[in-house]
Amino acid sequence: QAQLAESGGGSVETGGSLRLSCLGSGNTFSDYNVGWFRQAPGQEREFVAAIDWSGTGTDYADSVQGRFYIWRTSDKKTVYLQMNSLKLEDTAVYYCAADLNWGRLIARPNVYMSLELRGQGTQVTVST
């Protein structure tokens, strides 16, 4: 049974950087496409970035393109989200999720609650 868990959230000033980690477990996790989603207070959860099972395909929301980078380790068990040039509007709870279906993972509007694996979330707070 594959599972995942996020870590790496915290507080940072505008323009700063943070790196989030999504650690997968279970023999089949390396087969999963993995994505990051976020939810700010009072707002709907939104897609942020995703990487396919092989690590060669990625997708980003327009709002983070060029600032955030997603990659996974060679054993495919850990997925990182490097967040640079952080803005106030990046403040949110960030969730890692995974699915064997790439199209379902990157669907917009997102279908987060239908994804096969979902984490507990990690808080990212950006302040001046």
Side-chain angles (χ1 to χ4, degrees):
Q1 180 74 22
Q3 295 180 315
L4 51 78
E6 310 97 332
S7 63
S11 298
V12 65
E13 294 183 348
T14 54
S17 298
L18 278 176
R19 181 180 295 178
L20 304 183
S21 302
C22 178
L23 177 62
S25 59
N27 293 333
T28 62
F29 186 79
S30 58
D31 296 333
Y32 280 81
N33 308 295
V34 180
W36 288 94
F37 298 78
R38 67 186 181 186
Q39 187 167 23
Q43 298 186 25
E44 294 186 354
R45 188 178 283 112
E46 64 175 354
F47 170 83
V48 175
I51 188 165
D52 70 7
W53 68 272
S54 71
T56 59
T58 58
D59 192 18
Y60 295 92
D62 290 344
S63 60
V64 307
Q65 182 79 45
R67 299 189 298 122
F68 290 13
Y69 299 93
I70 188 170
W71 76 97
R72 66 195 305 168
T73 53
S74 57
D75 65 359
K76 301 181 174 59
K77 289 295 184 70
T78 305
V79 173
Y80 294 103
L81 182 69
Q82 178 68 37
M83 305 185 295
N84 300 325
S85 302
L86 283 162
K87 305 176 181 180
L88 294 176
E89 53 264 42
D90 294 319
T91 295
V93 178
Y94 283 71
Y95 299 88
C96 180
D99 202 282
L100 292 173
N101 187 299
W102 176 250
R104 189 159 57 214
L105 184 66
I106 65 170
R108 272 92 127 184
N110 72 79
V111 293
Y112 176 83
M113 292 307 295
S114 299
L115 299 176
E116 295 179 63
L117 305 178
R118 302 186 300 274
Q120 296 300 309
T122 185
Q123 177 70 46
V124 171
T125 301
V126 184
S127 60
T128 57

